[in-house]
Amino acid sequence: MPRGKTTGKPPGNTARQLLFSEALRQQKHPPVKDPKDPPPHCHINTGNMEEGPQGASMDRILQEISAMGRKLEGMDSAMLTLTAETTSMRLEIAGSQSQISGLDQRVATVETQVASWADNGQELMHLRSILTDLEDRSHRNNIRLMGLPEGIEGTDLTSFLRDTLPKITDITFDPPLEFERVHRFGPKRQDGNGHPRSIIACLLRHGQARQLLQAARVRPTEAGNHRNPTRC
């Protein structure tokens, strides 16, 4: 073909054919891919990993762990305080138990003393009953003679009563009257005026005292103004 002449075909056909041939060649022999090359449409973020959603989650997890740590520290402090209070309460309870033990011993001692006092009280009541009986027995033999003038008995009041009472009562005593003690009651009057003092006589035998009292009730006196004997 002469230089400078055209074949009559459009000039773009040759370039299009070349592109088409190159596409066929690439389809028949595709290029070898490097395994390290990223896949198409893959975006690699070379920035800070914490700036994404995963970084925000890690921040929340760390914050929660920190908060839990602070709570655990507070719980440890509360446990230490509770342990100290429990120890103090145990010491107080031990002291109270010691005091209660001492009080129990004192109460036991008091109960023992009260029991002994109760026994002593019963014994005292028994002794009082015996004393009352003895007093009653001793008083049963006592008689009181009123109206006998002062000095009428002379120097021996016992002998006077031993001779006078059988005459006044008209009773013959066998054995004769015997007295344990005889005396006038009250201080002696210096002027001799007023009523004479009464005479208290304790007879040795209760039967004789009863006879005198019975005789005084059934018959009047025969010795002037002498009054009947009475029990004292």
Side-chain angles (χ1 to χ4, degrees), residues 19-151:
L19 293 174
F20 182 74
S21 298
E22 183 63 23
L24 290 176
R25 187 181 65 77
Q26 290 180 356
Q27 288 180 357
K28 291 180 180 180
H29 302 285
V32 179
K33 295 181 179 181
D34 190 354
K36 297 181 180 180
D37 295 338
H41 308 290
C42 179
H43 176 73
I44 298 175
N45 187 7
T46 59
N48 190 1
M49 294 295 294
E50 296 180 357
E51 293 179 358
Q54 293 182 355
S57 300
M58 290 297 294
D59 289 340
R60 287 195 300 272
I61 292 172
L62 292 176
Q63 292 176 359
E64 292 177 357
I65 291 174
S66 179
M68 290 179 64
R70 289 192 295 271
K71 290 181 179 179
L72 290 175
E73 290 178 357
M75 292 176 64
D76 290 339
S77 178
M79 287 296 295
L80 291 175
T81 304
L82 182 60
T83 302
E85 293 178 353
T86 304
T87 303
S88 177
M89 291 177 64
R90 286 180 178 176
L91 293 176
E92 292 179 358
I93 292 173
S96 300
Q97 289 178 348
S98 178
Q99 293 179 357
I100 292 172
S101 178
L103 291 176
D104 289 340
Q105 293 179 357
R106 295 177 62 182
V107 168
T109 303
V110 171
E111 288 178 349
T112 304
Q113 292 178 354
V114 169
S116 64
W117 292 343
D119 296 337
N120 294 335
Q122 294 179 357
E123 184 178 0
L124 180 59
M125 292 178 63
H126 179 65
L127 293 175
R128 283 181 177 176
S129 64
I130 293 176
L131 180 60
T132 302
D133 183 67
L134 291 175
E135 289 179 350
D136 292 341
R137 288 179 183 272
S138 63
H139 291 170
R140 284 186 301 178
N141 296 345
N142 290 350
I143 61 173
R144 176 180 294 177
L145 302 172
M146 296 180 295
L148 292 173
E150 295 277 351

